[in-house]
Amino acid sequence: MKDIIEIRWHGRGGQGAKTASLLLADAAFNTGKYIQGFPEYGPERMGAPITAFNRISTNPIKVHSNIYEPDYVVVVDDTLLSAVDVTAGLKEDGAIIINTTKPIEELKPELNGYKGRVYGIDAREISIKALGKYFPNTPMLAAIVKVSQIMPEDDFIKDMQNSFKHKFAKKPEVIEGNMQAIKMALQEIKELQ
């Protein structure tokens, strides 16, 4: 892992981008890394575009600003591609991960000439199969772990199992579905070419 990895999340209010960024920060922290996970707040409401951020490092993190040149961008809702410049500042040796079923030919015009790696995952289908409802954040969380290799997949799965046991202590019936969504996403994320 390079010294510091910066991730920017783009989603809509209510899709769980903020929650996913915080879960990623917790999981990375539990593997001994230094972390930051924070949203950018504005007048958000359900369905409005939101942004969240992660910094993950093997060394203490001294910068405390938004992330303007991310290594990775996670797009939780592909309708944001035409509404927000999701590739702004994105490093070409990083990658963008998009919740989409569109082929790369349809996505390229909306990526503002970005020449780096593009990954796609159908988080809707995964979450509906695994959870019975549309919660894209869990599959997208697994997708960024797989693509960035921030931590070993086995460590991530164990940490998420423990995290979900705590988070869903009063709703244990959703733990298995969330774990299934993570495992499916780790298998189904693919580079679009």
Side-chain angles (χ1 to χ4, degrees):
M1 185 170 119
K2 65 185 229 180
D3 181 49
I4 190 165
I5 291 178
E6 295 182 316
I7 301 166
R8 187 173 64 218
W9 296 76
H10 292 279
R12 293 191 180 278
Q15 291 180 325
K18 177 187 121 180
T19 300
S21 76
L22 297 176
L23 284 169
L24 178 59
D26 286 345
F29 177 79
N30 292 336
T31 64
K33 302 211 174 31
Y34 293 90
I35 56 96
Q36 291 178 352
F38 55 98
E40 179 178 65
Y41 282 111
E44 283 83 10
R45 62 192 183 285
M46 192 71 97
I50 65 107
T51 309
F53 305 92
N54 286 109
R55 281 192 183 91
I56 300 169
S57 180
T58 53
N59 296 308
I61 301 169
K62 296 187 170 135
V63 63
H64 297 281
S65 65
N66 284 354
I67 294 171
Y68 301 103
E69 294 182 349
D71 299 289
Y72 299 96
V73 167
V74 180
V75 181
V76 181
D77 184 325
D78 67 358
T79 65
L80 289 169
L81 296 175
S82 58
V84 176
D85 184 3
V86 298
T87 59
L90 177 57
K91 296 175 185 165
E92 290 194 6
D93 63 347
I96 185 167
I97 301 159
I98 307 168
N99 173 16
T100 191
T101 58
K102 295 177 183 175
I104 190 68
E105 297 76 29
E106 281 184 48
L107 296 170
K108 276 192 177 181
E110 297 181 303
L111 296 179
N112 302 316
Y114 177 67
K115 304 228 182 315
R117 294 176 295 149
V118 179
Y119 289 83
I121 186 166
D122 188 347
R124 174 180 296 278
E125 182 180 334
I126 290 170
S127 66
I128 289 173
K129 277 184 184 173
L131 297 160
K133 291 184 180 175
Y134 182 44
F135 295 110
N137 61 337
T138 301
M140 297 308 288
L141 173 61
I144 185 61
V145 169
K146 176 80 169 197
V147 171
S148 66
Q149 300 178 348
I150 290 169
M151 67 191 75
E153 288 178 30
D154 290 343
D155 292 350
F156 171 65
I157 290 169
K158 276 188 228 162
D159 192 81
M160 285 296 94
Q161 182 76 44
N162 291 332
S163 179
F164 289 152
K165 279 182 187 171
H166 175 74
K167 182 177 171 66
F168 299 122
K170 294 189 176 170
K171 296 192 281 182
E173 66 278 5
V174 301
I175 296 170
E176 187 177 325
N178 274 282
M179 292 308 300
Q180 184 181 353
I182 282 175
K183 290 172 185 171
M184 289 171 68
L186 289 170
Q187 296 300 312
E188 294 184 26
I189 180 74
K190 61 185 178 294
E191 188 168 1
L192 302 178
Q193 299 178 357

